[in-house]
């Protein structure tokens, strides 16, 4: 029997960029069709584009040239005599549909697990007795065809359950041996070399979104094993990271209320820190049991170098309601989001100074305003994020003005620049967004945004 090859074309200009993880997936199988370009089209210089390829016949081996067709999104190799699939198949990085049914496959390459945008993988009617655990990494897979294979009773039992494909992928990912190299050490960014000829205050800052436990789900992080999402496992890694770098000020987001009081605070107090915390505004409307699972923001400071003067809570929904002035957008879009900012007015101690303390003991007690914030997450609400950022900056300016009076009671006018301000946080925004750039208009402000790779910050 001969070999038959069919290519499903598209007109030139049809988009074939990277598949978005958020787009709805439509199986190509029901709409498979092909057309042959006419002589007129060829003469006119029209170019074909074929994202789908079907090879049918008594094929036993595949040409290595096939793996160079990296534009393919669908590959049909079913109804052949293939006994193996080479690892190089993982080079087809845009593939969403792969049909290997009705061949003579006895094993699969572990590299199939690297094809993470696959949505359908059909392996029906082969000789497969085992599956590589690496298939569990295919977190976007919607259809896994395994019928007609002599697989173990355990695998077939899981597969036959309702939502069997997802349960089997979870099982395989949880049993996959993970051999990951240690990540590169985080690099400190030194803002300025200190002048060692005189006493100078030097301190370090770390900003970290610790990922609230209720958000660490397989639905959101399908590429993570269940054990890696478990809070008992993650919290040890988080605390090890904090202790490794031993920053003088810690700015944390997505800290659950219960985890702050029963984990972070007692653990860090043993390491010489103290801290403040506030949950999101919704906590006020909840009972005690539900309230402990609400996440919020926390600031920790090393008690040998700082003392707390005053805590300030910034509730964006309350500010939106107070400044709505009849605006429907302010009431319907901003007021309904319960994100918060949290600020701590600190005072330095002698231990913060290198090269000896200042001769005047009063000069060792300098104010500094530390703020952390977590803005709304949804990219469809960029306007809300910007308004939240503007409201936060306005509140910080007011806090700085009030604080300047308390530290300099004899001054006639408030001097905002007399209170150095450090803004940390998770803005859920891109580096070139208004939310990221608006704070830079304040001269006394230093920003620490770990997600904004193009900005200057202490910690990345």
């Amino acid at each position: 029997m001969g070999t038959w090859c069919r290519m499903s074309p598209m007109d030139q200009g049809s988009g074939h960029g990277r598949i978005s993880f958020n787009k709805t997936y439509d199986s190509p199988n029901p709409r498979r069709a092909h057309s042959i370009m006419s002589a007129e089209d060829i003469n006119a210089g029209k170019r074909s584009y074929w994202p789908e390829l079907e090879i049918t016949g008594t094929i036993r081996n595949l040409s290595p040239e096939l793996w160079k067709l990296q534009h393919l999104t669908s590959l049909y190799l079913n109804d052949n005599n293939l006994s193996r699939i080479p690892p190089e198949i993982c080079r087809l990085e845009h593939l969403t549909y792969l049909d290997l049914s009705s061949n003579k496959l006895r094993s699969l390459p572990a590299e199939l697990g690297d094809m993470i945008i696959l949505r359908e993988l059909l392996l029906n009617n082969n000789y497969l007795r085992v599956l590589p655990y690496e298939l569990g990494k295919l977190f976007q897979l919607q259809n896994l065809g395994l019928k007609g294979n002599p697989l173990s009773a355990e695998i077939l039992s899981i597969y036959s359950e309702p939502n069997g494909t997802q349960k089997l992928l979870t099982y395989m990912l949880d049993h996959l041996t993970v051999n990951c190299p240690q990540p590169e050490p985080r690099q400190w960014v030194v803002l300025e070399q200190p002048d060692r000829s005189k006493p100078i205050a030097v301190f370090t800052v770390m900003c970290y979104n610790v990922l609230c436990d209720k958000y660490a789900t397989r639905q959101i992080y399908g590429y993570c094993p269940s054990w890696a999402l478990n809070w008992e496992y993650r919290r040890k890694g988080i605390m090890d990271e904090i202790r490794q770098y031993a920053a003088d000020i810690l700015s944390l987001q997505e800290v659950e209320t219960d985890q702050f009081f029963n984990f972070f605070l007692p653990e860090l107090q043993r390491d010489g820190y103290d801290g403040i915390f506030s949950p999101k505004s919704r906590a006020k409307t909840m009972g005690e049991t539900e309230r402990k699972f609400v996440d919020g923001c926390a600031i920790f400071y090393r008690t040998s170098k700082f003392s707390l003067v005053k805590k300030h809570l910034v509730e964006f929904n309350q500010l939106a309601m107070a400044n709505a002035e009849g605006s429907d957008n302010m009431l319907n879009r901003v007021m309904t989001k319960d994100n918060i900012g949290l600020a701590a007015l600190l005072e330095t101690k002698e231990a913060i100074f290198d090269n000896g303390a200042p001769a005047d003991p009063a000069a060792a007690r300098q104010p500094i305003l530390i703020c952390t914030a977590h803005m709304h997450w949804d990219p469809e609400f960029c306007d809300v994020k910007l308004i939240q950022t503007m409201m936060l900056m306005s509140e910080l300016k007011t806090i700085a003005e009030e604080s300047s009076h308390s530290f300099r009671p004899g001054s006639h006018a408030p001097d905002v620049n007399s209170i150095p301000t450090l803004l940390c946080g998770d803005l859920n925004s891109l580096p070139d967004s208004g939310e990221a750039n608006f704070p830079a208009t304040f001269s006394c402000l230093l920003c620490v945004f770990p997600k904004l790779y193009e900005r200057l910050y202490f910690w990345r």
Side-chain angles (χ1 to χ4, degrees), residues 177-197:
T177 300
V178 179
N179 296 312
C180 293
Q182 287 295 319
E184 292 291 327
R186 300 176 190 261
Q187 300 299 314
W188 290 104
V189 176
V190 180
L191 299 183
E192 186 177 350
Q193 292 297 334
D195 181 0
R196 301 295 181 180
S197 64

Side-chain angles (χ1 to χ4, degrees), residues 351-383:
I352 199 175
F353 288 88
D354 280 3
N355 200 32
D360 181 4
R365 300 194 302 273
Q366 297 292 327
I368 181 171
L369 182 62
I370 309 296
C371 178
T372 184
H374 192 191
M375 304 310 184
H376 186 59
W377 64 272
D378 194 339
E380 297 296 324
F381 287 80
C382 293
D383 57 329

